[in-house]
Amino acid sequence: TLPKLEPETFDGNLLKFPSWLKSFESLIEENTLSCTQRLYFLSKYTGGEANDTIKRFLVQDDSWAYDDAKRTLIRRYGDKYKLAEAFKSRISQWPIVTSL
């Protein structure tokens, strides 16, 4: 048997957000109908700064809490310009390769 599929825990690293979001949507969101369960799993699979971002939604007692929490994560970590800047910053930190 194959191991159980589950998304990694997203900790706020901009470079990892796009792939984390896709895995969360396909492994959790598509297989869970309840917004309450989705919010629980969103909390479970986020850590650090990302989890701090959505904690306030965990105490809300309405069906919109999950959608609001997810939208907040996307607004904070899914911005294409912020992601491009993070990639540029990472590339600029690579060592310079010189010819021998």
Side-chain angles (χ1 to χ4, degrees), residues 26-91:
S26 66
L27 298 173
I28 303 297
E29 196 173 87
E30 289 181 7
N31 297 303
T32 310
L33 297 177
S34 164
C35 290
T36 304
Q37 288 178 346
R38 287 178 177 178
L39 185 59
Y40 164 77
F41 284 118
L42 192 63
S43 175
K44 180 179 178 180
Y45 292 112
T46 55
E49 182 183 306
N51 188 264
D52 292 342
T53 301
I54 63 158
K55 277 185 180 176
R56 65 187 168 112
F57 298 103
L58 297 173
V59 296
Q60 291 181 5
D61 192 25
D62 59 39
S63 61
W64 300 104
Y66 170 74
D67 292 330
D68 291 343
K70 182 180 172 188
R71 207 174 3 261
T72 299
L73 287 175
I74 291 170
R75 198 174 317 120
R76 179 172 254 192
Y77 302 105
D79 183 275
K80 294 176 185 178
Y81 298 105
K82 288 181 184 178
L83 184 60
E85 285 299 318
F87 273 113
K88 284 174 36 179
S89 176
R90 183 175 178 195
I91 290 171

